[in-house]
């Protein structure tokens, strides 16, 4: 995928319209990028991957954190399959059993032309969400991670233990090659717009980088329209994934109760301190190869429907101001936030409701 995403974490203590970073409410914003490892992308080695010439990995993290502090400017790319970012809070997000604990606002939109299948689709680029609790109290994301098991967790089309390796090109301007543990191979193709020397991260010393984990089934289908031979529709999964359904649906909310361990066993967490978002689809039919993530300062989500609309209006503004010949070129805004009191907007029923 190639669509930008904006990330904001927030809880119900935030007051409507309060953007002052010096207020107690603003102090609840997630305040640090703890891990950032984008997979190859056409935006590599630019500010969209928090990079300036000569930067080390530590400098990339520091710059990403700096960018994260600006809610309106920051743009970070996760790249192709496997890319991820981890953000920390200065407080623990509590688990309220049976309730939605946080919400991820995105610019996922249903296709304006409809779809050829009897299910919603549009600009969805589902991403897996993981959570972790700072059990050892050292402020680092080095405790066990738990996947929030969405609707596709037990699907036979989800590939467990998928692994993909990208190889550093030998010469500037060369295409990146990749192989996976399923016998697949391919290329991260270059385009005419992003002409930097390499789509491989310059700050990584290794000549190959490997990502592993669950791979969701490719959801993008080319459904041509009149005068549009390429019109890619990203079909939505039922629930449990970031950037999957529009913001005004139930399916953009998350429960810590969905957490499972590495063996798929449900676990109970009384709260979380870290959230990780991962690119978990391989490259589909689109000619571009990178999911972008706008990293905004993380804050507590507004309290009620009126306040929530304030956040949504900012996301909608990005959609309106963007140029789009098809749904796949829409910018996207992803907001990670606690579920606000009274946030009970209706959602379409897909036949596979979240537990």
């Amino acid at each position: 995928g190639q669509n930008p995403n904006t990330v904001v974490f927030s809880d119900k203590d935030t007051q409507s319209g309060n953007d002052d970073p010096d207020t107690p409410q603003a102090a609840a914003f997630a305040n640090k990028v703890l891990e950032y490892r984008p997979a190859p992308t056409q935006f590599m080695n630019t500010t969209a991957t928090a990079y300036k010439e000569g930067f080390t990995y530590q400098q990339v993290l520091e710059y990403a954190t700096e960018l994260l502090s600006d809610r309106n400017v920051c743009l970070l790319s996760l790249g192709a399959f496997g890319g991820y970012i981890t953000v920390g809070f200065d407080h623990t997000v509590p688990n309220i059993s049976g309730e939605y604990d946080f919400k991820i606002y995105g610019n996922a939109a249903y296709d304006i032309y409809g779809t050829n299948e009897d299910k919603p689709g549009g600009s969805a680029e589902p991403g897996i969400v993981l959570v972790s609790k700072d059990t050892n109290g050292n402020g680092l994301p080095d405790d066990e991670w738990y996947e929030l098991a969405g609707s596709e967790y037990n699907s036979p089309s989800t590939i467990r233990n998928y692994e993909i390796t990208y190889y550093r090109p030998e010469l500037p301007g060369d295409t990146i090659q990749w192989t996976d543990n399923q016998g697949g191979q391919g290329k991260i193709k270059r385009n005419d717009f992003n002409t930097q020397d390499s789509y491989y991260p310059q700050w990584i010393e290794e000549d190959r980088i490997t990502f592993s984990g669950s791979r969701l089934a490719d959801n993008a289908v080319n459904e041509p329209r009149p005068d549009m031979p390429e019109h890619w529709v990203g079909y939505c999964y039922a629930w449990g994934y970031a950037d999957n359904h529009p913001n005004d649906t139930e399916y953009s909310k998350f429960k810590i109760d969905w957490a499972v361990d590495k063996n798929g066993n449900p676990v109970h967490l009384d709260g979380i301190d870290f959230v990780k978002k991962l690119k978990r689809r391989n490259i589909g039919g689109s000619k571009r190869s990178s999911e972008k993530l706008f990293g905004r300062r993380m804050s507590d989500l507004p309290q009620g429907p009126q306040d929530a609309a304030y956040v949504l209006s900012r996301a909608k503004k990005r959609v309106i101001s963007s140029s789009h010949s098809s749904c796949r070129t829409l910018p996207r805004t992803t907001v990670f936030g606690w579920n606000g009191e009274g946030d009970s907007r209706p959602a379409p029923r897909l036949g596979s409701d979240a537990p």
Side-chain angles (χ1 to χ4, degrees):
Q2 77 278 14
N3 295 328
N5 297 265
T6 305
V7 180
V8 182
F9 294 76
S10 57
D11 76 22
K12 58 188 178 184
D13 291 332
T14 299
Q15 303 301 313
S16 175
N18 194 340
D19 279 340
D20 185 348
D22 297 323
T23 64
Q25 292 83 5
F29 282 86
N31 59 355
K32 190 172 185 180
V33 176
L34 297 159
E35 298 175 317
Y36 178 49
R37 197 169 179 86
T41 164
Q42 71 263 30
F43 303 104
M44 192 64 74
N45 304 318
T46 70
T47 55
T49 51
Y51 181 79
K52 294 182 180 180
E53 186 174 357
F55 266 19
T56 64
Y57 178 55
Q58 183 58 39
Q59 289 173 308
V60 167
L61 288 181
E62 292 171 357
Y63 189 30
T65 297
E66 178 185 338
L67 294 173
L68 194 68
S69 68
D70 191 327
R71 302 188 211 175
N72 299 308
V73 175
C74 177
L75 171 68
L76 294 173
S77 173
L78 298 184
F81 176 91
Y84 63 87
I85 188 170
T86 302
V87 182
F89 297 85
D90 61 3
H91 62 287
T92 298
V93 180
N95 178 6
I96 303 176
S97 183
E99 301 294 331
Y100 289 107
D101 301 297
F102 63 94
K103 180 166 183 169
I104 302 178
Y105 289 90
N107 278 357
Y110 296 141
D111 196 290
I112 60 176
Y113 299 103
T115 65
N116 292 347
E117 300 183 28
D118 188 24
K119 56 182 180 180
S123 59
E125 291 191 337
I128 290 177
V129 177
L130 281 74
V131 296
S132 182
K133 182 178 173 63
D134 189 15
T135 304
N136 61 18
N138 67 356
L140 299 174
D142 55 3
D143 296 285
E144 186 168 357
W145 284 95
Y146 304 95
E147 181 175 339
L148 298 188
S151 59
E152 308 307 298
Y153 184 79
N154 291 312
S155 170
S157 62
T158 298
I159 302 175
R160 298 267 183 260
N161 302 312
Y162 180 77
E163 185 174 282
I164 188 169
T165 300
Y166 303 94
Y167 302 89
R168 186 193 301 274
E170 293 185 3
L171 298 173
D174 281 358
T175 296
I176 293 176
Q177 309 285 330
W178 62 263
T179 59
D180 66 19
N181 63 351
Q182 307 293 308
Q185 59 182 329
K187 302 177 182 179
I188 304 294
K189 296 182 180 179
R190 296 180 62 85
N191 61 54
D192 296 332
F193 304 99
N194 304 93
T195 59
Q196 66 270 34
D197 286 346
S198 180
Y199 291 180
Y200 191 94
Q202 299 282 32
W203 66 90
I204 294 179
E205 296 182 358
E206 298 83 2
D207 288 334
R208 62 178 65 184
I209 47 177
T210 298
F211 297 92
S212 60
S214 297
R215 173 185 163 181
L216 300 173
D218 296 340
N219 69 327
V221 178
N222 187 20
E223 298 184 354
R225 303 291 174 182
D227 300 322
M228 297 176 64
E230 285 197 16
H231 177 79
W232 292 92
V233 175
Y235 277 92
C236 308
Y237 294 128
W239 53 269
Y241 300 97
D243 283 332
N244 187 35
H245 284 276
N247 296 329
D248 59 352
T249 72
E250 177 184 352
Y251 305 105
S252 57
K253 300 179 184 180
F254 294 80
K255 298 180 182 180
I256 300 174
D257 288 338
W258 297 341
V260 297
D261 64 20
K262 60 184 178 181
N263 297 315
N265 300 312
V267 297
H268 174 72
L269 300 172
D270 58 5
I272 60 170
D273 299 284
F274 310 108
V275 174
K276 179 182 293 187
K277 180 181 177 183
L278 310 97
K279 178 69 177 295
R280 279 305 186 227
R281 295 178 305 112
N282 210 341
I283 302 162
S286 174
K287 292 182 179 179
R288 299 185 182 178
S289 59
S290 149
E291 180 176 352
K292 285 180 283 183
L293 180 104
F294 278 110
R296 294 186 174 182
R297 190 183 310 129
M298 315 298 179
S299 78
D300 297 339
L301 190 69
Q303 285 191 353
Q306 180 178 358
D307 293 338
Y310 165 76
V311 177
L312 286 171
S313 68
R314 294 163 61 188
K316 186 180 296 184
K317 183 177 180 180
R318 287 191 178 276
V319 176
I320 293 172
S321 65
S322 67
S323 172
H324 55 283
S325 58
S326 74
C327 63
R328 289 183 61 82
T329 60
L330 283 171
R332 302 148 75 73
T333 303
T334 304
V335 181
F336 294 75
W338 306 54
N339 182 38
E341 295 290 343
D343 187 4
S344 57
R345 286 164 291 194
R349 293 296 169 184
L350 305 179
S352 179
D353 294 338

